[in-house]
């Protein structure tokens, strides 16, 4: 009985102690809320609700009202602040800085909020914006915004201006997500001479109604890039690691795509030249017009997946290594050159030229239904299987070459194909009909074999089984 009373008494004291601790905690938190920025037991609560519009800058003992149209360069340095670039109903140019942060910090953390907007040394054509955000370990709101307000009364916007943005976690927005009727009634489009964004985890979002960016440089780690609508970009220089990139349509003169373990997706790319480097991750392009080269060995491509729905131009990927490649369509005047080690390569609807080489990866190529074209095919593998569907009645001038050391070759051709089939060992010696199967012919035919009266040479080099059937 006594032991039971002891247990009940201990439980009662424990409940009282916990209640007292919880009550003390809430009292301390309440005091912090009513006394922000005051240190209590090594912690403090901070809260901001500030907004400032800066339209004038002190320079050489003068106050200058600036206009972004006449500014050559704007440099923004911050940590987690968001940056907005947009047209608004103003006369010239205004920088708006908003701070709506609140949270808890340790007493040794700096919760001061400061900003500095100045002209660069010896120049009133360059503006530097520096923002220092409050530090904390628990944020209720982490909301600091820097807005570059461009006058929508002008036909011009930032065509003469370079904008450099350096941040860690903040996002960058160019244009407005939602346009009012008043915005639409005026000129909502933005043009920028050069936009350079360097961030770690921040996102870059370029919204609709952006007309042109002469040069766009982006370097991000674990962030995302989202370009909505169609924006004309003169030069695109994109470096992304563990990032997500999504673009509605890309119309560029030249582009550098440096993708490390990142996902890149777009409906359409038009480019005079694209320099592609990719390691792991995905590249998904529904339609491409122009030229893609991937000749730089920045990465070994790892297990990257490259999917291009339609090629209207030239694609050269000579170092695919272990990557998987799928090309949905190659138009009549287009060419793809694909080379890798254990990569698997698939080309559908071929009307142009395909030169494919692998070490151990399999290759599957199919011609298009456009019988007015004569696709050129040259495939070589080490031990990978070669599958070809050739839906034409004649081969292109110079014929077709399929070559493998220890892989199997399986061809399905148009039943009316006119060609001369030649089969060789990899040593260069001509083969007989052993392990060479041609649908409609018995097993002891003589090679070379004239099919349907003969025609251009269909050359096959292999030490393994060769099969030719009909579609």
């Amino acid at each position: 009985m006594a032991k039971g009373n002891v247990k009940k008494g201990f439980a009662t004291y424990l409940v009282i102690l916990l209640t007292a601790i919880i009550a003390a905690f809430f009292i301390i938190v309440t005091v912090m809320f009513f006394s922000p920025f005051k240190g209590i037991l090594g912690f403090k609560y901070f809260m901001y609700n500030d907004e400032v519009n800066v339209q004038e800058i002190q320079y050489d003992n003068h106050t200058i009202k600036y206009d972004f149209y006449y500014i050559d360069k704007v440099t923004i340095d911050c940590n987690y602040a968001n940056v907005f670039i947009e047209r608004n109903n103003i006369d010239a140019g205004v920088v708006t800085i908003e701070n709506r942060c609140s949270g808890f910090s340790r007493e040794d953390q700096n919760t001061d909020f400061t900003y500095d907007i100045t002209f660069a040394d010896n120049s009133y054509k360059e503006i530097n914006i520096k923002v220092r955000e409050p530090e904390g370990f628990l944020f209720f709101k982490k909301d600091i915004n820097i807005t570059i307000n461009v006058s929508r009364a002008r036909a011009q916007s930032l065509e003469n201006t370079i904008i450099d943005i350096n941040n860690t976690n903040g996002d960058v927005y160019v244009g407005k997500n939602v346009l009012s009727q008043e915005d639409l009634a005026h000129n909502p489009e933005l043009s920028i001479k050069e936009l350079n964004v360097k961030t770690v985890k921040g996102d870059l979002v370029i919204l609709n109604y952006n007309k042109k960016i002469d040069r766009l440089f982006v370097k991000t780690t674990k962030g995302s890039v989202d370009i909505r609508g169609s924006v004309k970009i003169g030069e695109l220089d994109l470096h992304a690691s563990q990032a997500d990139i999504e673009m509605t349509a890309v119309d560029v003169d030249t582009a550098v795509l440096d993708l490390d373990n990142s996902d890149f997706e777009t409906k359409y790319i038009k480019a005079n030249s694209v320099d592609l480097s990719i390691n792991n991750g995905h590249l998904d392009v529904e339609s491409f017009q122009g030229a893609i080269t991937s000749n730089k060995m920045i990465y070994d491509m790892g297990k990257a997946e490259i999917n291009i729905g339609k090629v209207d131009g030239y694609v050269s990927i000579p170092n695919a290594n272990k990557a998987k490649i799928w090309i949905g369509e190659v138009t009549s005047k287009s060419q793809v050159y694909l080379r890798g080690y254990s990569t698997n390569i698939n080309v559908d609807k071929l009307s142009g030229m395909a030169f494919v080489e692998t070490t151990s990866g399999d290759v599957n190529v199919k011609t298009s239904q456009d019988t007015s074209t004569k696709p050129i095919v040259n495939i070589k593998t080490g031990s990978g299987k070669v599958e070809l569907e050739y839906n034409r009645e004649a081969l292109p001038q110079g014929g077709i070459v399929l070559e493998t050391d220890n892989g199997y070759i399986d061809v399905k051709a148009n039943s009316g194909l006119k060609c001369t089939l030649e089969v060789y060992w990899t040593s260069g010696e001509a083969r007989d009909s052993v392990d060479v199967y041609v649908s409609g012919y018995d097993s002891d035919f003589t090679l070379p074999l004239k099919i349907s009266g003969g025609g251009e040479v269909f050359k096959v080099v292999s030490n393994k089984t060769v099969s030719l059937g009909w579609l």
Side-chain angles (χ1 to χ4, degrees):
M1 190 71 177
K3 290 183 179 180
N5 290 334
V6 170
K7 290 182 179 179
K8 290 181 180 179
F10 178 76
T12 302
Y13 287 131
L14 183 60
V15 170
I16 294 173
L17 178 61
L18 291 175
T19 302
I21 292 173
I22 293 171
F25 172 77
F26 278 107
I27 291 172
I28 293 171
V29 171
T30 302
V31 172
M32 285 183 172
F33 274 116
F34 285 98
S35 302
F37 303 100
K38 182 178 180 179
I40 300 176
L41 298 177
F43 301 95
K44 56 185 174 181
Y45 171 74
F46 62 90
M47 178 182 66
Y48 287 94
N49 188 19
D50 300 333
E51 180 176 333
V52 61
N53 293 299
V54 180
Q55 194 172 8
E56 298 176 340
I57 299 176
Q58 294 293 325
Y59 179 76
D60 195 20
N61 297 322
H62 294 86
T63 300
I64 299 178
K65 185 176 181 179
Y66 58 88
D67 186 335
F68 284 119
Y69 178 67
Y70 299 103
I71 298 298
D72 292 338
K73 186 176 182 179
V74 178
T75 302
I76 302 173
D77 291 295
C78 55
N79 182 11
Y80 58 81
N82 300 316
V83 178
F84 295 83
I85 304 171
E86 56 189 38
R87 279 188 181 271
N88 283 306
N89 188 22
I90 56 174
D91 294 330
V94 176
V95 176
T96 301
I97 298 179
E98 304 167 89
N99 182 4
R100 306 278 190 267
C101 281
S102 63
F104 285 102
S105 70
R106 297 187 305 273
E107 198 167 2
D108 61 347
Q109 290 182 303
N110 191 342
T111 57
D112 291 344
F113 169 70
T114 60
Y115 66 89
D116 192 19
I117 302 177
T118 61
F119 285 117
D121 294 340
N122 304 317
S123 176
Y124 61 90
K125 301 279 284 183
E126 297 184 14
I127 295 177
N128 294 331
I129 302 172
K130 295 182 180 181
V131 172
R132 191 199 178 287
E133 301 93 331
E135 297 175 357
F137 66 87
L138 176 62
F139 283 86
F140 299 127
K141 292 183 68 176
K142 203 172 184 179
D143 188 9
I144 298 179
N145 299 323
I146 305 167
T147 303
I148 304 298
N149 297 283
V150 181
S151 174
R152 68 185 183 198
R154 286 186 176 277
Q156 302 86 0
S157 50
L158 297 168
E159 289 93 335
N160 303 315
T161 307
I162 299 171
I163 299 180
D164 289 349
I165 301 172
N166 306 296
N167 69 13
T168 304
N169 300 313
D171 300 331
V172 177
Y173 297 87
V174 181
K176 291 183 178 180
N177 190 26
V178 178
L179 295 174
S180 66
Q181 291 299 320
E182 189 176 4
D183 289 324
L184 293 171
H186 293 80
N187 184 6
E189 293 182 332
L190 270 171
S191 291
I192 301 175
K193 179 179 180 180
E194 188 172 323
L195 177 62
N196 303 307
V197 178
K198 296 179 182 179
T199 182
V200 178
K201 296 181 180 179
D203 299 338
L204 169 64
V205 181
I206 299 179
L207 301 161
N208 293 315
Y209 297 99
N210 291 289
K211 189 175 182 181
K212 183 181 180 182
I213 300 175
D214 289 343
R215 183 178 188 273
L216 175 61
F217 173 88
V218 182
K219 185 175 183 179
T220 181
T221 303
K222 298 182 180 179
S224 67
V225 178
D226 185 0
I227 299 180
R228 306 173 191 175
S230 180
V231 182
K232 173 64 178 177
I233 300 173
E235 180 183 348
L236 173 63
D237 195 353
L238 174 62
H239 302 262
S241 177
Q242 302 179 63
D244 293 320
I245 300 101
E246 184 173 355
M247 304 181 181
T248 303
V250 183
D251 185 356
V252 300
D253 294 331
T254 62
V256 173
L257 302 180
D258 176 7
L259 309 174
D260 179 19
N261 199 25
S262 297
D263 292 336
F264 181 100
E265 181 179 349
T266 183
K267 292 183 180 298
Y268 174 74
I269 294 181
K270 179 182 179 182
N272 293 331
S273 69
V274 176
D275 187 352
L276 172 66
S277 298
I278 184 170
N279 177 43
N280 296 322
H282 298 80
L283 177 78
D284 291 294
V285 180
E286 290 188 18
S287 180
F288 174 77
Q289 180 181 352
I292 294 178
T293 58
S294 182
N295 299 322
K296 294 182 180 178
M297 286 294 291
I298 297 177
Y299 308 117
D300 64 1
M301 287 200 176
K303 295 181 180 180
E305 293 188 13
I306 299 173
N307 301 311
I308 304 176
K310 180 180 180 180
V311 173
D312 187 5
Y314 175 75
V315 173
S316 173
I317 305 178
N319 302 301
N321 297 333
K322 297 180 181 180
K324 293 181 180 180
I325 300 176
W326 174 78
I327 308 292
E329 179 181 357
V330 181
T331 60
S332 60
K333 296 182 180 180
S334 300
Q335 176 180 330
V336 294
Y337 172 60
L338 311 171
R339 180 177 179 272
Y341 296 128
S342 57
T343 179
N344 291 327
I345 297 175
N346 292 273
V347 179
D348 297 339
K349 298 180 181 179
L350 175 67
S351 295
M353 294 181 284
F355 300 89
V356 183
E357 183 177 353
T358 73
T359 301
S360 60
D362 297 336
V363 177
N364 185 301
V365 175
K366 300 176 183 178
T367 60
S368 69
Q369 298 300 314
D370 181 7
T371 56
S372 65
T373 63
K374 293 182 180 180
I376 297 175
V377 183
N378 191 311
I379 301 173
K380 181 178 181 180
T381 74
S383 59
K385 182 178 181 180
V386 176
E387 295 179 304
L388 171 65
E389 290 187 10
Y390 200 86
N391 187 23
R392 300 293 186 275
E393 292 186 353
L395 299 182
Q397 185 177 0
I400 284 177
V401 178
L402 306 181
E403 183 176 353
T404 180
D405 292 338
N406 295 300
Y408 294 95
I409 293 181
D410 185 7
V411 179
K412 295 290 189 300
N414 188 297
S415 59
L417 177 65
K418 299 178 178 65
C419 69
T420 300
L421 177 64
E422 298 180 358
V423 183
Y424 299 88
W425 301 106
T426 56
S427 62
E429 297 178 5
R431 287 180 57 170
D432 55 26
S433 61
V434 177
D435 290 331
V436 177
Y437 302 96
V438 179
S439 180
Y441 291 80
D442 56 28
S443 59
D444 58 352
F445 56 83
T446 302
L447 289 170
L449 176 64
K450 291 186 177 182
I451 299 175
S452 299
E456 294 287 344
V457 173
F458 198 131
K459 182 179 179 180
V460 177
V461 180
S462 176
N463 294 328
K464 293 287 186 177
T465 301
V466 176
S467 299
L468 173 60
W470 311 115
L471 293 171

